[in-house]
Amino acid sequence: CVTLDVQAACQDTRVTQELLKEGFHRDLLVKVELGEDAGGCAVAAQIRLPPGIYVDPYELATLQQHNLTKAVLFPDVIDVEAPEYLSRDLLVLLFLERDTRCSRCFRGAVPVHARYHRPGEGTEEALVVLESPEVLLCCCHSHQSAECWEPAEVDAPCSSDNTSPCQWHSTKHRPAYEESMLRVPVGLREHNSLVCALTLLTTGLCSGLILAAACKYGHF
């Protein structure tokens, strides 16, 4: 690994993230531009996902087998069926790949999914706000400036292919970034009575049809 002028990187590092596609199933794209060429350093983005959005660990494992993305989840056991109000935050360490068009640029993407929310009152959508990712750097034998970088409490290797521990460092400066928001469709609370009545009516009708068919064609 080579020494990185982290002071310059601290001043000029820029981070952007973007939600691609539409609906409940999206791709979260993260781009990082450092102030200097990172050389042999590993670059990652630490993303905190709120309860309203999650990463499917089974889908992630399949993508990593095909080398389409590299990430580590904390915790690694996730209930993909739980609604937003019964879920908790999820931490994603997304390993970034160098952009071939820019020696100081890195990017990575991971599929994310919106959870079902409680019905809203007077609104048909819930907002899920994604905070700015934290830029992490791991350089062998380099000397990070204490003014710009500090050791990060990240218990993860330098890559998804390596199991040995790694000392990550995070930048103290605030990246140039605008919050991303995911709009999730929700039901209306004022429709609760109507929905319950229709559900009960449909359930009773279907149960009656099944019972009639069983009595007509069944053998008891």
Side-chain angles (χ1 to χ4, degrees), residues 152-183:
E153 296 182 1
V154 179
D155 185 17
C158 287
S159 71
S160 59
D161 302 324
N162 188 358
T163 58
S164 60
C166 176
Q167 177 59 67
W168 291 94
H169 288 76
S170 62
T171 178
K172 291 183 179 180
H173 85 292
R174 179 175 297 178
Y177 164 78
E178 294 182 358
E179 288 182 337
S180 297
M181 291 189 298
L182 175 64
R183 300 180 182 273

Side-chain angles (χ1 to χ4, degrees), residues 32-106:
V32 172
E33 182 178 355
L34 298 176
E36 291 286 332
D37 188 348
C41 301
V43 181
Q46 184 170 254
I47 309 164
R48 184 173 297 277
L49 298 180
I53 192 171
Y54 70 96
V55 174
D56 187 335
Y58 306 103
E59 179 184 20
L60 180 62
T62 300
L63 293 174
Q64 294 195 130
Q65 287 178 357
H66 294 85
N67 202 31
L68 296 178
T69 190
K70 296 179 181 179
V72 177
L73 305 180
F74 304 96
D76 55 357
V77 178
I78 301 171
D79 185 355
V80 299
E81 301 294 338
E84 177 269 341
Y85 48 87
L86 295 179
S87 303
R88 57 177 178 167
D89 290 357
L90 171 65
L91 201 62
V92 182
L93 183 64
L94 177 62
F95 299 99
L96 306 180
E97 299 288 342
R98 186 187 301 274
D99 193 329
T100 56
R101 298 167 296 180
C102 172
S103 62
R104 298 181 290 110
C105 302
F106 296 80

